[in-house]
Amino acid sequence: MSLLAEQRREVIVERVRSQGAVRVSELAEHLGVSEMTVRRDLDVLARRRLVDKVHGGATAIGEHTTEEPGFSAKSVRELEEKDAIAAEAARLVTPGSAVGLSAGTTTWRLAHRLARIPRLTVVTNSLAVAEALHTGGAESRGTTVILTGGVRTPSEALVGPVAIAALRSLNLEIVFLGVHGMSAAAGFSTPNLTERDTNRALVDAGQQLVVVADHTKWGTVGISTIAELGEADVLVTDSGLADADRAVLEGEVDRVVIARTARPGRQ
């Protein structure tokens, strides 16, 4: 079996999740690689919080594709990376544009930046994003903020038929999508089925799709795919993304923008 590094890691995660635990020796035999290669893969997966590395192998980390951390819990993770991503993403927006922002802590950081750009029309299904625009003085700069209705989720998103109906009637120049996970097999995904449908409606309303996701999202898989990797016009991520992972993304996404942080890139 000859697989690229990211394909190997997806196989490892699948076996760990299905079996609960695997040994390095078993993985090496199954994948046809050295045990040292498997250990390096496990190091990468452990850093991404996809497996727990233990002596001689790995165990399931206990987080499932349907688990959805709350907004407060996610808002304190990878702060430097999210701010760097937000700064790069904001460069894609010009005054007077019609912009869509999904819920999420990275889009929330982006909202703080967009509050400084005049005369925008911003459509969002996120209470936190709307509040960030308001407190940032967006209205004083001539920006109109449109908040969809819907049912509130743990990630502070408003989802469901009301939100979907509102989004389907709109035409936006650019949509920024925050995601729970991204992978070669599952694309951009979410752990919330209802949020998936709302995000899909937001994606469909935009002429250009920009996904904002830090490096820890690579290899994470939610239960429901929002969009395939190739549907993104731009992906803005950070320099913590491994070179091999970046190569996979660049093969699918039209443009990958790397936001530089103090964290060095990984090989």
Side-chain angles (χ1 to χ4, degrees), residues 13-217:
V13 171
E14 289 173 0
R15 288 180 74 86
V16 170
R17 287 177 174 169
S18 64
Q19 299 179 23
V22 291
R23 293 183 179 276
V24 169
S25 57
E26 294 171 352
L27 289 170
E29 181 178 356
H30 177 71
L31 294 167
V33 296
S34 69
E35 292 190 8
M36 182 60 69
T37 296
V38 171
R39 290 192 183 93
R40 284 197 293 264
D41 286 341
L42 292 179
D43 285 337
V44 171
L45 295 172
R47 284 198 298 269
R48 295 176 184 169
R49 299 190 293 273
L50 294 175
V51 302
D52 278 331
K53 189 178 179 184
V54 297
H55 181 69
T59 61
I61 203 165
E63 184 172 319
H64 302 288
T65 58
T66 56
E67 289 186 351
E68 183 176 13
F71 183 88
S72 296
K74 291 188 291 184
S75 66
V76 297
R77 298 177 182 174
E78 287 75 45
L79 287 177
E80 180 186 355
E81 288 86 348
K82 290 173 182 176
D83 280 335
I85 289 168
E88 289 293 338
R91 299 177 194 276
L92 302 174
V93 179
T94 56
S97 299
V99 181
L101 267 71
S102 76
T105 52
T106 309
T107 50
W108 170 65
R109 296 310 306 164
L110 174 57
H112 289 81
R113 302 271 179 171
L114 296 188
R116 307 169 194 169
I117 300 176
R119 304 186 313 280
L120 299 179
T121 298
V122 180
V123 177
T124 184
N125 67 319
S126 167
L127 296 166
V129 165
E131 180 62 19
L133 290 164
H134 174 71
T135 57
E139 289 93 341
S140 68
R141 295 179 177 87
T143 287
T144 299
V145 180
I146 301 170
L147 182 64
T148 69
V151 178
R152 189 172 180 171
T153 72
S155 61
E156 301 291 337
L158 298 175
V159 302
V162 173
I164 291 170
L167 292 167
R168 282 179 175 165
S169 66
L170 300 176
N171 298 294
L172 305 171
E173 292 167 66
I174 187 168
V175 167
F176 293 94
L177 177 68
V179 298
H180 174 75
M182 53 181 176
S183 76
F188 302 109
S189 60
T190 173
N192 187 306
L193 288 169
T194 308
E195 189 164 348
R196 180 269 174 202
D197 293 339
T198 303
N199 280 340
R200 185 66 234 185
L202 180 61
V203 168
D204 291 340
Q207 296 175 21
Q208 183 181 28
L209 174 61
V210 180
V211 176
V212 287
D214 69 76
H215 71 278
T216 66
K217 303 297 179 65

